[in-house]
Amino acid sequence: MKNIILTGDRPTGNLHLGHYIGSLQKRIELQNEGNYDKYYIMIADTQALTDNADRVDKVKNNIIQVAIDYISAGIDPTKVNIFIQSMVSELHEFTGYFMNLVTLSRLQRNPTIKEEIKQRGFETSLPIGFINYPVSQASDILAFGTTIAPVGGDQLPMFEQAREIYHSFNNTYQPKEEVFVLPKAIVSENKAFQRLPGLDGKLKMSKSAGNSIYLCDDSETVKEKVMKAYTDANHIKVTDPGQIEGNVVFTYLDAFCKEHHFAEFLPEYKNLQELKDHYTRGGLGDVKVKKFLINVLEDFLKPIRERRAKCLEHIDDIYNMLFENSRLASLDAKARLEKMKDAMGINYKNLLSK
Ligand code: TRP
């Protein structure tokens, strides 16, 4: 069996550290291992429009932003096909047929959708396109024969839905040859990293909550944000014992700090455990830990910023790359679409007696 990797993001804003730890890091690792036949990353503008119908400009402008975020984070466009969802119109056709295999009540039970409906105040005015997006996402996944998808933890219900559609399609149409492939999502083993907390310590890091550090943030912004980050409300005096659990500064250190950072920036400690132990005992102030985190994040963001600056000089090239990749992705989707129609018995040209 072929190994096909596919994943994606909605272009509604720049990518942040939560995206990086939740899935970008894994995507880059998979890319560098090179153990795949095809690797796609979709910029999901069609999906973004399901709750931004009247904000086309926002979605449009963020396509290039997300593409630049990918490349600056380390996705290599010569190894990975980064494409634009709406330019692969075949996906709508898959969705049209898959919609008949899913009930409305099933979509209403999707936990990610449930939460998003609440967040967006869609309870009484739910766009059909929005409640349907898990079906559309199943098309994204199944159309390319995806075997594995490195995604954030909130995407697991979408993969469950895609797997159900896979089974439902096979049960309904009993294809003689397999049309689709059963996809598998891979998420970070570390639960905290599946949904990296935001700077406020309450919600996951997200654009809408305004609690994010972005891959494109400059040094000054990162510094300001970290200095305001939530630590432990009961850690008032330096001598007070502090809590690690729920302390976002330590969660970010867990995610980004490497052993060599201690030698470089905080040589009094050998490793993160020593730092945590001191904090727990008392006698270690938040500011010191925050300053260390700022250094760690700067070390991580520096090469990303450098690649970003290069990308900004080649915007047209990046657009042309996206357009060409979308054309190629469209050809791949088209081939499977024909297979699907054959299996369903709706390729009417087969009725001709030749
Ligand atoms: N739902 C994903 C997000 O919110 C974006 C997405 C669309 C996606 N289609 C996909 C992810 C297919 C993985 C596979 O970011």
Side-chain angles (χ1 to χ4, degrees):
M1 192 176 74
K2 284 198 164 172
N3 196 15
I4 313 257
I5 306 174
L6 178 136
T7 182
D9 298 279
R10 296 180 203 174
T12 51
N14 280 104
L15 301 182
H16 51 60
L17 299 185
H19 291 115
Y20 187 86
I21 287 299
S23 75
L24 261 178
Q25 188 174 36
K26 187 75 194 172
R27 296 179 192 181
I28 294 162
E29 213 178 283
L30 287 169
Q31 163 192 287
N32 295 341
E33 283 165 11
N35 176 28
Y36 54 81
D37 298 287
K38 281 200 175 154
Y39 193 158
Y40 303 93
I41 302 187
M42 156 188 298
I43 302 181
D45 61 330
T46 312
Q47 186 173 113
L49 288 170
T50 63
D51 63 337
N52 286 286
D54 55 349
R55 277 163 290 192
V56 172
D57 278 351
K58 173 173 116 177
V59 172
K60 177 168 59 187
N61 297 334
N62 276 306
I63 290 175
I64 190 76
Q65 288 302 320
V66 170
I68 293 174
D69 282 337
Y70 287 151
I71 298 168
S72 31
I75 295 291
D76 177 348
T78 66
K79 295 185 179 150
V80 175
N81 175 325
I82 308 173
F83 72 96
I84 301 175
Q85 184 183 23
S86 68
M87 295 183 84
V88 181
S89 56
E90 289 78 10
L91 294 172
H92 291 292
E93 254 183 279
F94 284 96
T95 304
Y97 298 111
F98 289 165
M99 282 164 78
N100 303 330
L101 305 173
V102 181
T103 64
L104 181 58
S105 59
R106 172 64 184 89
L107 291 173
Q108 285 165 332
R109 279 198 305 274
N110 180 312
T112 299
I113 290 283
K114 265 196 197 163
E115 191 180 317
E116 289 177 336
I117 287 175
K118 255 195 246 143
Q119 275 169 11
R120 288 159 177 72
F122 275 169
E123 290 94 337
T124 52
S125 61
L126 179 60
I128 290 176
F130 187 79
I131 184 86
N132 194 53
Y133 94 67
V135 180
S136 154
Q137 183 159 337
S139 304
D140 305 340
I141 297 163
L142 296 174
F144 295 97
T146 307
T147 44
I148 55 170
V151 288
D154 58 347
Q155 295 302 304
L156 289 174
M158 305 303 157
F159 281 80
E160 225 172 275
Q161 184 72 74
R163 292 163 72 92
E164 280 176 35
I165 291 177
Y166 165 89
H167 289 301
S168 179
F169 182 89
N170 286 349
N171 288 335
T172 309
Y173 299 109
Q174 307 276 336
K176 286 191 204 70
E177 277 170 50
E178 281 273 89
V179 177
F180 298 112
V181 178
L182 195 62
K184 185 167 168 256
I186 44 175
V187 295
S188 165
E189 296 90 53
N190 184 325
K191 283 257 185 262
F193 298 172
Q194 284 180 21
R195 320 190 85 188
L196 195 71
L199 291 156
D200 52 10
K202 288 192 203 107
L203 302 164
K204 68 164 182 167
M205 193 175 275
S206 81
K207 294 164 260 207
S208 46
N211 60 2
S212 307
I213 297 176
Y214 292 93
L215 297 178
C216 62
D217 276 347
D218 61 25
S219 300
E220 208 38 53
T221 310
V222 171
K223 201 163 146 193
E224 269 171 37
K225 287 181 176 175
V226 170
M227 289 320 271
K228 280 193 225 137
Y230 179 82
T231 54
D232 168 8
N234 298 318
H235 187 241
I236 298 161
K237 287 191 274 142
V238 172
T239 47
D240 290 340
Q243 199 176 316
I244 305 293
E245 172 114 2
N247 185 321
V248 301
V249 174
F250 279 100
T251 307
Y252 295 172
L253 283 175
D254 274 332
F256 290 96
C257 169
K258 305 258 166 9
E259 201 105 338
H260 71 89
H261 288 134
F262 283 93
E264 256 167 87
F265 307 124
L266 202 60
E268 308 103 277
Y269 300 87
K270 264 208 302 295
N271 53 40
L272 193 51
Q273 196 52 49
E274 271 193 7
L275 191 73
K276 283 182 181 173
D277 289 346
H278 192 183
Y279 193 81
T280 313
R281 270 199 317 274
L284 174 58
D286 281 347
V287 171
K288 185 158 179 175
V289 188
K290 284 182 169 180
K291 283 193 171 151
F292 177 54
L293 174 62
I294 290 168
N295 281 319
V296 167
L297 291 180
E298 283 295 300
D299 186 50
F300 164 71
L301 290 170
K302 194 165 165 269
I304 297 181
R305 290 191 191 121
E306 284 166 8
R307 282 192 291 264
R308 185 176 187 84
K310 279 210 196 94
C311 285
L312 292 174
E313 293 168 14
H314 299 280
I315 299 285
D316 276 359
D317 295 337
I318 298 176
Y319 271 122
N320 280 323
M321 177 271 288
L322 293 173
F323 300 158
E324 173 59 9
N325 283 346
S326 304
R327 190 184 68 79
L328 296 172
S330 185
L331 292 175
D332 290 346
K334 176 94 183 147
R336 191 166 266 98
L337 182 66
E338 289 308 314
K339 273 205 212 168
M340 175 179 87
K341 287 175 140 187
D342 282 342
M344 291 172 69
I346 57 167
N347 248 339
Y348 300 126
K349 62 177 187 296
N350 295 341
L351 295 174
L352 291 171
S353 48
K354 303 227 163 87

